[in-house]
Amino acid sequence: MRGLVERLLVRVPARHRGGARLVLAYHNVVADASRIGGDRSLHLPAATFQQQLDVVRAEAAIVPLMELLEGEETSFPRVAITFDDAYEGALQHGLSACAARGLPCTVFVSPALLGTIPEWDWRAAGGTWDANARHRFLWDERGFGHHQQRVAGDDALVAFSIATLDGVRHAARFPQVTFGNHTMHHANLGALDTADVEAEIHACAEWLDSQSALSTVPVVAYPYGSAPRSQVPERFGLLVAGGWFRAPVPSHAIPRWNVPSGVSMNGFRARLRGWLL
């Protein structure tokens, strides 16, 4: 039934109008031959990602994140591309696909995750990542993962590696790529008090400032999409829920559509046109 609804909706003109804005949130982009595992919803095949970029270009103008957030109202819809976590695959396959099309994008980095397999992936690969485990991890452990260091030759999980520091620095060579704050330890900010929220964000901001090769933006993307209960010390804060919006919206609750790996192309087109979001 869902497939039929999506096929019908792609024949309907776009629901959004000129001036609408959309931030797309991606995580990993993996080689097409990769075995999809880990937290499956996060890992998008490279060919699918490339197709999605081409669909977006046909529907809207793809602009830098800061232009979308700060720019004046326009007569046409605009989209910004973002990646959370700095997965190695996103920096290789995702950024290269954007660069080949001359498209800007922003990567949000949690420095403490660099060079690791994040907990949600290795637990999902081991069959121990369900709704209850996720809830305990986010709220009892506050999202501070016991991330595994990447082990050479661990082919089962290599596709789900967070990039190393060298990998992030190397990714800065791509044109029109910027980097933003994803907290120091990828913490669940909704479970922290004000002092800990500020410490997580400040530590990541200082790290970003120390990386002279990176072009940075004054934006924090909330890990797990969980907004803090207090104001954040960055100009903008991004969720991983929502869709098209028009200004003004609260600067620390900017919606994003978190694109799942399982969405069909018709489903993607329907959502991009403002339906089902």
Side-chain angles (χ1 to χ4, degrees), residues 124-230:
T128 61
W129 191 242
D130 57 20
N132 290 332
R134 177 182 173 85
H135 185 273
R136 290 193 300 271
F137 174 69
L138 290 182
W139 299 102
D140 296 342
E141 301 175 43
R142 301 180 299 167
F144 289 104
H146 307 293
H147 310 296
Q148 291 189 346
Q149 291 298 315
R150 176 174 167 177
V151 178
D154 188 358
D155 295 333
L157 290 174
V158 69
F160 317 123
S161 301
I162 303 297
T164 63
L165 175 56
D166 285 343
V168 171
R169 290 171 173 167
H170 187 62
R173 78 190 191 281
F174 285 105
Q176 300 193 75
V177 61
T178 55
F179 295 84
N181 193 317
H182 205 37
T183 77
M184 190 67 187
H185 297 92
H186 203 273
N188 175 12
L189 299 183
L192 303 185
D193 61 27
T194 299
D196 287 338
V197 167
E198 292 181 350
E200 276 292 312
I201 293 174
H202 277 308
C204 185
E206 289 178 354
W207 182 88
L208 288 168
D209 287 343
S210 73
Q211 302 300 313
S212 59
L214 308 186
S215 175
T216 62
V217 295
V219 184
V220 56
Y222 306 132
Y224 317 107
S226 183
R229 292 165 287 179
S230 56

Side-chain angles (χ1 to χ4, degrees), residues 14 27 42 75 79 85-86 96 105-106 126 130 141 146-147 166 202 204 219 227-228 255 257 267 271:
H27 289 79
L42 305 180
S75 60
V79 173
D85 305 330
S96 62
C105 60
T106 299
D130 57 20
E141 301 175 43
H146 307 293
H147 310 296
D166 285 343
H202 277 308
C204 185
V219 184
W257 178 33
R271 288 163 175 80

Side-chain angles (χ1 to χ4, degrees), residues 30-52:
V30 298
D32 295 320
S34 297
R35 178 179 62 84
I36 302 299
D39 190 339
R40 290 176 180 268
S41 68
L42 305 180
H43 307 292
L44 190 70
T48 302
F49 178 67
Q50 292 166 19
Q51 288 179 315
Q52 290 182 0

